[in-house]
């Protein structure tokens, strides 16, 4: 600010207000050269000429504007003078018009009153003419089905009839009109009760009856009764196509006919009646919708509607319509039933899924049985069969879960609802649990009916191993797969963890039942051969032994076949060293096997639960077979040669069966017991030397 004020007060500033020419010239002569003085002189002259030229231009322009303004003012003066004269003339004309108008009004006042009286008379005559012609017009309108015009004409003339109805000239007209209106009411009621009457015609008829002073309570009953008759016809049509139309076609038919008419009927009911408490409508709607839901469920359960895509499309359209209906009716039962329809459809789809899985699994089992029967145990790869069954079962269950996830699509009206997510999760777990529980029950049934159904022990081993695999890994894998699918299909939906223990218990129980049945079956098969061979032979007349009997070889083959099958599916435990147990026991004195020694010997549980191990399975079968041998030997009496023959048989069994199982003490104990029992029952108990027995067994 200080610098700016200094510049303005500088006397050397040629553009400033305090410019001092003498001081500027003196300063210039002192500081500048001659050349600079001459240049400055030329510059000042040029600027002076330029400023003088601009000043002249501005003067000329202002002068022209001043002349134009003067001419404009002069012209406005003349124009205002003309307008003032015209306004004076207009004011005079308006005064004259007002005067003439007042004179005319005074002259026409009496004529106007006469005209008004004539107009009133004309209107009254028109009304009287309308009243006299009313019966004819009503009959004509009714004959032409113009019921709205008839009611409008009657209501329009009703005031006149009520006012002048006591006069003799109007009494006949009034009575005739009442008869016509009574017939019209009867016609409208018959129209309401006709099933072919459309919803709009129903509403029109009710509205006309209300205009004719009918009470709302009676009209409500008539309206709902006629509507029910019409909707019953739709129900019959829908019922007739349940067995021929698919779910999508049926739903479209239902939406476009019955539900559309029901919506119109309900809307008309709201428009016509002021039934705030809604006493009759919910009951009427529930009655109709209950029948609709029954027909829908019948259609859903048809075998032709098992496709998920067409079921979901039909269900979505049906659910959307039901939601709209529930909003119109404001009925909580219908809204709840709409949700229940979706949930029941999901459950029905889940039921079809695990029934299909079960049916396909049974077909696979039938093929496995045929394959085992044709190939035999030796050529059949039981591990490969097990893997095939397990993979097929897992894939089918996972495919079913993925199929049920289609109910959670974003485009569906119910796809993102929490209750729908819960229903799908429950249905998926139902597929998993029911499939595995049905598998368990089927295995138990096959195990209990093994002999009567001719089920091979190889198949029982496969099913037992399958149940164990599903118990150890399958249930957990499927449960985790379900959680993953739910997270992908319904993000943010919290799925409850399922109780897998009950399913695992079913599987483990079924596996144990199958293993026990297999052990008993193999053991009893071998035991039956030994029992027949011991009881049918005359041991008192037995010849000198030349080798083990053929039945011993068949028993060994039977047990070896079962052991080979078990080795393909079940792990083999490490067999303990048996050097101490391999001893010559065949030449002991019978005193060592006295009843006192048996009391203090270790008790053998013959029918104890079988373990999921190759050796345990073999041990179980051996116990059943050899225990039968011991009990049968105790029922016979032996000669010396008979005892020696049994000694050879027992030694052969000891050699061949020692490779099976992992408990040689059990094997030796049972065989010792059999030989000891024979010694006790022998009339001349003399055993052969162990070396001779070995030679006979090798030679035989």
């Amino acid at each position: 600010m200080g610098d700016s004020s200094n510049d303005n007060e500088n006397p050397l500033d040629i553009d400033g207000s305090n410019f001092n020419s003498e001081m500027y010239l003196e300063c210039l002569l002192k500081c500048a050269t001659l050349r600079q003085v001459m240049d400055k002189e030329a510059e000042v002259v040029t600027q002076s000429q330029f400023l003088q030229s601009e000043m002249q231009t501005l003067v000329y322009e202002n002068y022209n504007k001043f002349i134009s303004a003067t001419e404009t003012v002069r012209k406005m003066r003349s124009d205002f003078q003309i307008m003032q004269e015209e306004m004076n003339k207009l004011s005079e004309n308006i005064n004259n018009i007002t005067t003439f108008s007042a004179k005319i009004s005074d002259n026409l006042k009496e004529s106007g009153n006469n005209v008004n009286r004539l107009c009133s008379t004309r209107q009254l005559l028109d009304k009287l003419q309308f009243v006299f012609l009313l019966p004819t017009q009503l009959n004509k309108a009714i004959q032409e089905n113009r019921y709205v015009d008839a009611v409008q004409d009657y209501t329009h003339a009703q005031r006149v009839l009520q006012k002048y109805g006591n006069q003799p000239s109007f009494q006949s007209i009034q009575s005739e009109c009442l008869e016509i209106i009574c017939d019209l009411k009867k016609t409208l009621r018959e129209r309401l009760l006709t099933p072919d009457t459309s919803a709009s015609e129903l509403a029109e008829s009710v509205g006309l009856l209300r205009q004719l002073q009918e009470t709302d309570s009676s009209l409500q009953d008539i309206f709902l009764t006629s509507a029910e008759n019409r909707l019953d016809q739709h129900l019959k049509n829908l019922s007739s196509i349940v067995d021929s139309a698919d779910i999508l076609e049926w739903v479209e038919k239902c939406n476009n006919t019955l539900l559309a008419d029901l919506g119109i009927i309900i809307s008309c009911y709201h428009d016509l009646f002021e039934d705030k408490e809604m006493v009759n409508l919910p009951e009427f709607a529930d009655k109709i919708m209950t029948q609709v839901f029954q027909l829908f469920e019948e259609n859903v359960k048809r075998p032709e509607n098992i496709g998920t895509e067409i079921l979901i499309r039909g269900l979505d359209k049906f659910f959307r319509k039901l939601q709209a209906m529930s909003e119109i009716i404001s009925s909580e039962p219908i809204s709840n039933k709409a949700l229940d329809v979706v949930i029941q459809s999901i459950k029905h789809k889940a039921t079809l899924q695990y029934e299909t899985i079960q049916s396909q699994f049974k077909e696979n089992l039938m093929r496995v049985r045929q394959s085992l029967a044709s190939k035999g145990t030796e050529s059949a790869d039981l591990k490969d069969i097990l893997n095939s069954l397990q993979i097929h079962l897992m894939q089918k269950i996972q495919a079913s879960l993925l199929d049920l996830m289609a109910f959670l699509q974003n485009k569906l009206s119910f796809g993102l609802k929490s209750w729908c997510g819960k229903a799908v999760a429950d249905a998926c777990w139902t597929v998993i649990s029911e499939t595995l529980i049905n598998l368990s029950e089927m295995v138990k049934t096959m195990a209990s009916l093994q002999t009567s159904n001719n089920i091979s022990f190889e198949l029982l081993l496969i099913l037992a191993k399958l149940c164990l695999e599903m118990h150890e890994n399958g249930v957990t894998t499927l449960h985790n797969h379900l959680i993953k699918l739910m997270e992908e299909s319904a993000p943010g939906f919290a799925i409850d963890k399922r109780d897998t223990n009950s399913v695992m218990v079913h599987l483990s129980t079924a596996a144990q039942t199958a293993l026990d049945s297999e052990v008993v079956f193999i053991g009893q098969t071998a035991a039956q051969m030994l029992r027949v061979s011991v009881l049918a032979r005359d041991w008192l007349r037995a010849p000198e032994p030349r080798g083990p009997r053929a039945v011993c070889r068949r028993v060994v083959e039977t047990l070896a076949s079962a052991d080979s099958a078990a080795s393909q599916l079940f792990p083999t435990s490490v067999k303990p060293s048996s050097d101490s147990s391999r001893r010559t026991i065949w030449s002991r004195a019978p005193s060592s096997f006295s009843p006192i020694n048996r009391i203090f010997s270790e008790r053998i549980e013959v029918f104890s639960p079988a373990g999921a191990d190759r050796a345990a399975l073999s041990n179980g079968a051996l116990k059943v077979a050899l225990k039968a041998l011991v009990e049968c030997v105790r029922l016979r009496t032996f000669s010396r040669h008979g005892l020696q023959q049994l000694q050879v048989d027992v030694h052969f069994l000891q050699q061949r069966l020692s490779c099976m199982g992992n408990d040689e003490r059990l094997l030796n104990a049972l065989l010792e017991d059999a030989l000891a029992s024979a010694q006790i029952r022998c009339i001349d108990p003399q055993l052969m030397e162990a070396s001779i027995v070995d030679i006979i067994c090798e030679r035989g």
Side-chain angles (χ1 to χ4, degrees):
M1 294 294 294
D3 294 341
S4 177
S5 60
N6 291 334
D7 291 340
N8 292 333
E9 296 176 359
N10 187 5
L12 300 180
D13 185 10
I14 195 171
D15 295 324
S17 58
N18 297 324
F19 176 68
N20 190 334
S21 58
E22 295 181 357
M23 187 181 296
Y24 179 80
L25 181 59
E26 183 180 355
C27 181
L28 181 62
L29 292 176
K30 288 180 179 181
C31 297
T33 61
L34 179 61
R35 183 64 180 174
Q36 291 176 345
V37 172
M38 293 176 67
D39 292 340
K40 190 66 177 177
E41 180 186 9
E43 179 183 352
V44 170
V45 171
T46 302
Q47 290 180 355
S48 299
Q49 293 176 352
F50 177 74
L51 291 174
Q52 186 176 5
S53 175
E54 282 188 349
M55 186 181 296
Q56 291 178 355
T57 302
L58 291 174
V59 170
Y60 290 147
E61 290 178 356
N62 291 333
Y63 181 73
N64 290 332
K65 291 179 181 179
F66 178 76
I67 293 174
S68 298
T70 303
E71 293 178 354
T72 301
V73 170
R74 188 183 298 112
K75 185 176 180 181
M76 287 176 65
R77 284 181 179 178
S78 60
D79 291 340
F80 278 132
Q81 191 173 9
I82 296 172
M83 290 178 65
Q84 183 66 35
E85 294 176 355
E86 291 180 355
M87 289 296 295
N88 294 333
K89 292 180 181 179
L90 179 61
S91 177
E92 293 177 0
N93 293 333
I94 289 174
N95 292 331
N96 294 332
I97 291 172
T98 301
T99 303
F100 285 120
S101 176
K103 292 180 180 180
I104 293 172
S105 297
D106 292 338
N107 295 331
L108 295 179
K109 184 176 182 180
E110 185 177 356
S111 299
N113 293 332
N114 294 332
V115 171
N116 289 333
R117 285 194 299 271
L118 291 175
C119 289
S120 301
T121 305
R122 176 64 180 175
Q123 291 177 357
L124 180 60
L125 291 175
D126 289 340
K127 290 180 180 180
L128 293 175
Q129 184 181 9
F130 176 78
V131 171
F132 284 117
L133 296 177
L134 181 61
T136 304
Q137 292 180 354
L138 291 178
N139 287 324
K140 183 178 180 181
I142 293 173
Q143 290 175 359
E144 295 176 355
N145 296 329
R146 293 185 291 107
Y147 303 125
V148 177
D149 295 340
V151 173
Q152 288 179 350
D153 292 342
Y154 177 74
T155 53
H156 182 66
Q158 194 172 10
R159 295 180 181 177
V160 178
L161 291 174
Q162 290 176 352
K163 185 175 182 179
Y164 303 103
N166 295 327
Q167 297 181 8
S169 58
F170 289 98
Q171 287 180 353
S172 60
I173 296 175
Q174 186 177 16
S175 60
E176 187 176 359
C177 289
L178 289 176
E179 292 178 0
I180 295 173
I181 292 302
C182 288
D183 293 338
L184 177 59
K185 290 181 179 180
K186 184 178 180 181
T187 302
L188 292 175
R189 289 193 185 94
E190 292 175 352
R191 185 187 185 190
L192 284 174
L193 299 175
T194 302
D196 297 333
T197 305
S198 64
S200 58
E201 291 175 343
L202 289 176
E204 180 184 84
S205 300
V206 171
L208 295 177
L209 287 172
R210 291 189 70 189
Q211 294 181 32
L212 296 176
Q213 307 301 319
E214 286 287 336
T215 60
D216 283 352
S217 59
S218 62
L219 287 178
Q220 289 175 8
D221 296 337
I222 296 174
F223 180 81
L224 294 179
T225 302
S226 60
E228 184 176 357
N229 294 334
R230 175 176 175 79
L231 295 176
D232 284 341
Q233 187 64 37
H234 289 313
L235 287 171
K236 292 179 181 178
N237 295 334
L238 292 173
S239 178
S240 63
I241 64 172
V242 166
D243 297 330
S244 59
D246 58 39
I247 185 67
L248 187 59
E249 181 180 354
W250 188 91
V251 168
E252 290 178 349
K253 182 77 172 178
C254 179
N255 290 348
N256 295 332
T257 57
L258 188 144
L259 295 182
D261 273 4
L262 181 59
I264 295 174
I265 289 169
I266 294 171
S267 299
C268 294
Y269 184 91
H270 287 304
D271 295 338
L272 294 173
F273 306 110
E274 297 180 358
D275 187 8
K276 296 181 179 180
E277 297 181 357
M278 300 287 289
V279 177
N280 298 323
L281 188 60
E283 181 180 356
F284 165 78
D286 291 344
K287 180 180 179 181
I288 298 298
M289 293 306 299
T290 299
Q291 301 178 64
V292 174
F293 291 139
Q294 291 176 353
L295 293 176
F296 179 80
E297 291 175 359
E298 291 178 8
N299 197 286
V300 168
K301 294 179 180 179
R302 290 180 60 235
E304 292 80 1
N305 293 324
I306 61 176
T308 304
E309 184 62 29
I310 190 172
L311 173 62
I312 289 177
R313 289 174 58 193
L315 184 62
D316 182 52
K317 289 188 176 182
F318 192 59
F319 182 76
R320 292 178 187 271
K321 193 69 175 180
L322 292 178
Q323 290 294 96
M325 293 297 299
S326 63
E327 293 179 0
I328 295 174
I329 304 174
S330 299
S331 174
E332 186 176 354
I334 293 181
S335 179
N336 295 335
K337 188 62 179 177
L339 305 184
D340 188 59
V341 164
V342 178
I343 295 174
Q344 292 301 324
S345 298
I346 295 173
K347 290 181 178 179
H348 175 68
K349 186 63 181 178
T351 303
L352 293 178
Q353 294 284 12
Y354 70 73
E355 287 179 352
T356 302
I357 295 172
Q358 186 178 8
S359 175
Q360 293 175 349
F361 186 77
K362 288 181 178 179
E363 294 176 0
N364 288 341
L365 279 186
M366 184 61 65
R367 288 193 290 268
V368 170
R369 291 182 65 180
Q370 295 173 355
S371 175
L372 291 175
S374 61
K375 293 181 180 180
T377 307
E378 297 180 357
S379 60
D381 188 350
L382 302 186
K383 187 69 174 178
D384 184 57
I385 294 174
L386 171 65
N387 291 335
S388 177
L389 285 176
Q390 184 177 2
I391 292 173
H392 179 269
L393 182 63
M394 293 289 288
Q395 288 179 346
K396 289 298 180 181
I397 295 177
Q398 291 175 355
S400 299
L401 300 184
L402 184 61
D403 192 41
L404 289 172
M405 292 301 150
F407 286 92
L408 298 178
Q409 299 179 43
N410 295 339
K411 62 182 180 180
L412 301 178
S413 56
F414 50 80
L416 298 179
K417 306 294 184 181
S418 59
W419 55 266
C420 183
K422 184 179 183 304
V424 171
D426 292 341
C428 290
W429 180 245
T430 300
V431 172
I432 296 173
S433 60
E434 290 296 331
T435 300
L436 298 182
I437 291 175
N438 288 335
L439 170 64
S440 304
E441 296 300 325
M442 182 176 60
V443 172
K444 292 178 184 178
T445 303
M446 295 176 69
S448 62
L449 301 175
Q450 180 184 17
T451 305
S452 59
N453 287 353
N454 195 24
I455 299 173
S456 63
F457 68 89
E458 297 94 345
L459 183 59
L460 275 183
L461 288 175
I462 292 173
L463 292 176
K465 185 63 175 178
L466 176 61
C467 289
L468 290 175
E469 291 288 339
M470 297 303 295
H471 170 267
E472 294 173 359
N473 300 315
V475 177
T476 304
T477 301
L478 292 174
H479 184 258
N480 293 335
H481 184 68
L482 170 59
I483 294 176
K484 181 180 178 182
L485 287 178
M486 289 298 299
E487 290 176 351
E488 293 176 353
S489 302
F493 176 73
I495 179 173
D496 299 331
K497 291 187 176 181
R498 305 293 167 167
D499 182 15
T500 58
N501 293 331
S502 60
V503 180
M504 292 181 178
V505 169
H506 279 87
L507 291 170
S508 61
T509 304
Q512 187 64 55
T513 303
L515 292 176
D516 292 342
S517 178
E518 188 271 342
V519 167
V520 173
F521 175 76
I522 297 299
Q524 289 182 346
T525 302
Q528 181 65 18
M529 290 188 286
L530 292 171
R531 183 183 301 110
V532 172
S533 67
V534 172
L535 297 179
R537 187 179 181 87
D538 187 359
W539 294 96
L540 290 173
R541 298 179 182 180
E544 185 179 355
R546 300 297 180 186
R549 293 178 300 148
V551 66
C552 295
R553 296 187 179 90
R554 293 198 301 272
V555 169
V556 171
E557 290 174 358
T558 300
L559 296 174
S561 176
D563 183 70
S564 175
S567 65
Q568 298 185 49
L569 299 173
F570 295 93
T572 303
S573 59
V574 179
K575 191 173 182 180
S577 176
S578 59
D579 294 339
S580 61
S581 62
R582 293 202 174 213
R583 61 188 185 277
T584 304
I585 61 173
W586 318 122
S587 60
R588 292 184 181 180
S591 60
S592 62
F593 303 102
S594 63
I596 298 297
N597 291 337
R598 288 196 186 98
I599 293 175
F600 293 100
S601 63
E602 184 179 355
R603 184 184 177 187
I604 299 174
E605 290 288 343
V606 178
F607 294 100
S608 60
D613 179 81
R614 172 190 176 185
L617 295 174
S618 299
N619 287 337
L622 287 174
K623 287 190 292 184
V624 175
L626 297 181
K627 188 63 176 178
L629 174 63
V630 172
E631 298 301 326
C632 292
V633 167
R634 291 175 179 173
L635 299 176
R636 306 299 290 169
T637 302
F638 296 84
S639 64
R640 182 179 63 183
H641 288 162
L643 175 61
Q644 292 173 354
Q645 180 63 57
L646 185 63
Q647 182 184 9
V648 172
D649 293 343
V650 167
H651 184 68
F652 177 80
L653 292 174
Q654 194 274 341
Q655 287 180 331
R656 298 296 187 272
L657 299 179
S658 61
C659 61
M660 304 177 195
N662 61 354
D663 193 350
E664 287 193 15
R665 288 183 299 176
L666 171 66
L667 174 64
N668 292 335
L670 290 171
L671 293 176
E672 285 178 1
D673 200 3
L675 185 58
S677 299
Q679 284 182 283
I680 295 172
R681 299 288 297 173
C682 182
I683 58 177
D684 185 14
Q686 293 184 15
L687 296 175
M688 293 186 293
E689 294 293 333
S691 58
I692 298 175
V693 175
D694 287 336
I695 293 172
I696 293 174
C697 289
E698 291 176 2
R699 184 176 59 189

